[in-house]
Amino acid sequence: MKKSFISFFACFLATTVFASWKPDDQAAVFSLKPDRVLGSPYFKEVLKTYGLLGFGYTSIINDHHLVDLQKEMGVQIEDASEVSLVVGNFLETVISLPVSTSGNYQALKNSSLAFILRTHGEVYPDTFFEKFDRWASGPAFSKSDLERFRRDVRIDPGKIDEMSRSIRVEKKHYAEMEKPEKVGKATLFSIPVIEINQALQTSVVDGIKMTLGMQAENGMTVFVLGTRKDVLGFFEHENANNESSHDSENTEFTSFSIPLDGELLKKMETSNLSDPNGPLGPLATTLGQAMYEIKEISGTAKFSGGRAHLDLTITCKDVESAQSIWSVGQASLGMVQIQMLRKQLKNPAAQTAVSADFLNRIKLKHQEAEIHVHVEASPSELMPWAANKKFP
């Protein structure tokens, strides 16, 4: 119970609404503000606390493709003020998406996905293709990679010579981007899906085209990748609500909003792909009908006092369902606290997965048709079983 409780909030922190635009009422939004996270003392402590996470982050941030792209474009990941993923008609999309390259891709064709990147610094649309082309024609392998391959006697020298001449992306895969389209303040670049991933070469996706839209002004650049309809919808909303958006006074660094539908949840439970031992099984058993009355789960997180403060809101269709869920949550938290107290009384020297202090900081509040959950966690409290596991 303790482990699952902490796992849930760790996932909440890792996956998480600053992007106010939605393509439909059932869209889910996951947002992060890298410029408030990556340079923060809390994140630096996280990297020290979890050795494997620090190793992974360093490997990604120092990847030569990413480093070269940032140099070419003149922007840095640390300067990004928003990274958001918007998934239209969320539950239906998740249920219907194919799970293999041989599956039915009609769901993919009908889905609505948009990736939003907002960063400090202006990348001018007029020079974007030139810069991207220069980056794409760069070496596919770094000098250090090639030297490592040459030291490996199992790799044929001729193959390594061939790899040394290969480029990142063949121009035929992005040639259509050379002819951008100006729509209002935004500039659109067309990208055929078939050229993004050769594994998707099916008749269903053959005609699908993604659009990369960008707009630079006031020292900021926003990129949006999605269908043409969604990209245009985003910029229409963006430019109509420019003054009221992106409040610099709020302190949250991440947020999410997920709409739920009881009938679709039941459909997901009966799917052949569902794991009977997965979260829906125990949740359905514990919460009963109240689980299917949840309309939305949303949350935000911020740093304060050396801890991450996570605030979760569960919105239900009625007060009775909210009361039932709050009661189960309060009882579960109480059982964990009692179980920990019993272990400590039995063996005061015994190590527990989480501290009593951490559990005491978890607050659940029932307010009409909503349940509010507040959690505060230091880096070592997020995933205590992984703390200080340094990468060799």
Side-chain angles (χ1 to χ4, degrees):
M1 174 69 77
K2 287 179 289 187
K3 190 168 183 177
S4 61
F5 218 101
I6 307 304
S7 295
F8 171 78
F9 289 109
C11 291
F12 162 68
L13 178 62
T15 59
T16 150
V17 135
F18 307 111
S20 57
W21 168 81
K22 290 185 178 183
D24 56 73
D25 292 337
Q26 293 304 307
V29 183
F30 306 86
S31 293
L32 174 71
K33 291 188 174 181
D35 60 348
R36 292 188 177 177
V37 177
L38 300 183
S40 68
Y42 190 95
F43 185 70
K44 292 177 181 178
E45 182 62 30
V46 166
L47 295 182
K48 289 192 296 183
T49 303
Y50 309 114
L52 183 58
L53 179 59
F55 175 82
Y57 171 74
T58 302
S59 299
I60 293 172
I61 209 72
N62 292 332
D63 178 79
H64 78 281
H65 299 301
L66 183 59
V67 170
D68 290 350
L69 181 61
Q70 291 180 97
K71 288 181 179 178
E72 194 64 65
M73 294 297 169
V75 295
Q76 301 294 316
I77 288 180
E78 292 86 350
D79 293 333
S81 60
E82 178 192 342
V83 175
S84 294
L85 175 64
V86 182
V87 185
N89 198 16
F90 179 70
L91 279 183
E92 193 72 56
T93 299
V94 170
I95 292 172
S96 303
L97 280 178
V99 293
S100 70
T101 55
S102 60
N104 179 2
Y105 283 86
Q106 190 61 43
L108 181 61
K109 188 173 183 178
N110 295 334
S111 65
S112 175
L113 300 172
F115 177 79
I116 303 165
L117 170 64
R118 192 185 308 275
T119 182
H120 297 280
E122 294 189 9
V123 180
Y124 296 102
D126 293 343
T127 61
F128 175 75
F129 180 82
E130 177 186 345
K131 292 180 177 181
F132 182 84
D133 182 46
R134 201 156 47 223
W135 172 83
S137 59
F141 299 93
S142 67
K143 292 181 179 179
S144 60
D145 288 335
L146 294 172
E147 287 301 320
R148 188 174 71 255
F149 296 151
R150 290 191 176 98
R151 291 193 297 268
D152 191 335
V153 295
R154 296 170 297 177
I155 303 178
D156 181 74
K159 181 63 176 177
I160 298 177
D161 288 339
E162 181 182 333
M163 294 166 66
S164 68
R165 294 190 297 271
S166 61
I167 61 175
R168 290 188 177 102
V169 187
E170 293 184 35
K171 193 166 185 175
K172 66 179 182 179
H173 296 323
Y174 60 90
E176 291 190 37
M177 293 174 59
E178 193 169 6
K179 299 178 181 179
E181 176 187 2
K182 186 76 173 179
V183 179
K185 295 182 178 180
T187 301
L188 310 183
F189 300 85
S190 179
I191 308 174
V193 170
I194 201 70
E195 302 296 1
I196 296 177
N197 190 337
Q198 297 301 312
L200 298 179
Q201 290 188 357
T202 71
S203 59
V204 176
V205 300
D206 190 38
I208 299 179
K209 288 189 177 182
M210 297 294 285
T211 294
L212 174 65
M214 61 179 298
Q215 181 174 307
E217 61 180 358
N218 300 324
M220 299 285 291
T221 303
V222 58
F223 299 88
V224 184
L225 179 65
T227 65
R228 178 184 173 87
K229 177 182 177 182
D230 288 338
V231 171
L232 289 176
F234 169 84
F235 281 112
E236 181 180 358
H237 179 275
E238 171 85 357
N239 293 320
N241 300 275
N242 194 41
E243 292 183 1
S244 59
S245 299
H246 322 302
D247 181 12
S248 60
E249 296 300 319
N250 70 64
T251 56
E252 290 83 7
F253 67 85
T254 188
S255 65
F256 75 93
S257 173
I258 303 175
L260 295 180
D261 181 279
E263 294 305 314
L264 287 178
L265 286 176
K266 292 177 182 178
K267 181 179 177 181
M268 185 183 295
E269 281 188 313
T270 58
S271 169
N272 292 331
L273 299 176
S274 293
D275 178 3
N277 298 315
L280 282 180
L283 276 175
T285 302
T286 305
L287 298 178
Q289 184 62 31
M291 187 188 79
Y292 304 111
E293 301 302 319
I294 299 175
K295 294 170 54 179
E296 182 183 68
I297 299 178
S298 60
T300 62
K302 65 180 180 180
F303 297 132
S304 180
R307 297 191 183 112
H309 293 244
L310 318 176
D311 288 287
L312 177 71
T313 299
I314 302 172
T315 305
C316 300
K317 291 182 179 179
D318 52 57
V319 176
E320 291 75 15
S321 299
Q323 176 71 43
S324 298
I325 295 173
W326 174 83
S327 299
V328 171
Q330 194 72 36
S332 299
L333 179 60
M335 289 174 62
V336 173
Q337 292 171 321
I338 292 173
Q339 185 180 18
M340 176 178 288
L341 180 60
R342 285 175 176 172
K343 285 186 177 180
Q344 289 180 332
L345 290 174
K346 186 176 181 180
N347 182 7
Q351 295 291 323
T352 56
V354 294
S355 67
D357 183 50
F358 171 78
L359 292 176
N360 291 334
R361 291 197 301 268
I362 299 176
K363 305 298 181 184
L364 289 82
K365 181 181 179 181
H366 170 229
Q367 185 173 347
E368 298 183 345
E370 294 182 344
I371 303 100
H372 299 276
V373 184
H374 178 79
V375 179
E376 299 176 18
S378 65
S380 61
E381 289 171 330
L382 282 178
M383 295 175 285
W385 51 90
N388 300 320
K389 300 289 181 66
K390 302 301 181 182
F391 191 79

